[in-house]
């Protein structure tokens, strides 16, 4: 997504799973994240998936609040094994349609 000639953010998904949502700090709280998630959710629904899933970390209260406001619910928590850190990952899900 571009705004004023620069990259404001991007979203990456595969299947029903959103792997990344990033918004440049210059565009934080501008609605860019919502626009990108709207796009991902619409495309995931169009592909026939009944829900969308993604992960965040327990310490990331801003992202958890953002996703909760969009209707996501926390369905699991587990150790961050991918990066072998001491962090805890939260799995979120939202029904589509």
């Amino acid at each position: 997504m571009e705004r004023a000639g620069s990259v404001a953010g991007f979203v990456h998904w595969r299947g029903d799973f959103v792997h990344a949502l990033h918004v440049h700090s210059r565009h934080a709280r501008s609605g860019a994240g919502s626009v990108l998630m709207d796009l991902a959710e619409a495309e995931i629904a169009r592909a026939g998936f009944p829900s969308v899933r993604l992960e965040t970390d327990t310490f990331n209260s801003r992202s958890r609040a953002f996703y909760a406001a969009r209707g996501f619910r926390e369905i699991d928590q587990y150790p961050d094994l991918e990066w072998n850190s001491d962090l805890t990952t939260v799995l979120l899900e939202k029904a589509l349609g």
Side-chain angles (χ1 to χ4, degrees):
M1 156 187 264
E2 287 188 26
R3 287 193 173 164
S6 67
V7 175
F10 71 89
V11 62
H12 167 72
W13 70 91
R14 181 171 292 146
D16 70 340
F17 196 87
V18 175
H19 292 274
L21 171 67
H22 295 285
V23 175
H24 192 284
S25 60
R26 191 174 28 217
H27 299 281
R29 300 178 190 255
S30 70
S34 292
V35 169
L36 291 166
M37 280 304 296
D38 288 347
L39 170 67
E41 290 176 20
E43 291 298 318
I44 290 168
R46 185 175 15 216
F49 293 99
S51 63
V52 58
R53 300 174 304 126
L54 56 87
E55 294 175 331
T56 191
D57 292 302
T58 53
F59 74 84
N60 195 338
S61 56
R62 255 174 84 183
S63 75
R64 290 171 80 181
F66 172 78
Y67 293 121
R70 294 187 61 84
F72 282 83
R73 63 184 181 90
E74 297 183 6
I75 60 172
D76 200 4
Q77 290 190 11
Y78 36 86
D80 177 10
L81 300 175
E82 181 177 353
W83 297 102
N84 197 26
S85 71
D86 290 330
L87 301 175
T88 302
T89 299
V90 179
L91 178 63
L92 304 166
E93 184 177 51
K94 176 183 175 180
L96 298 172

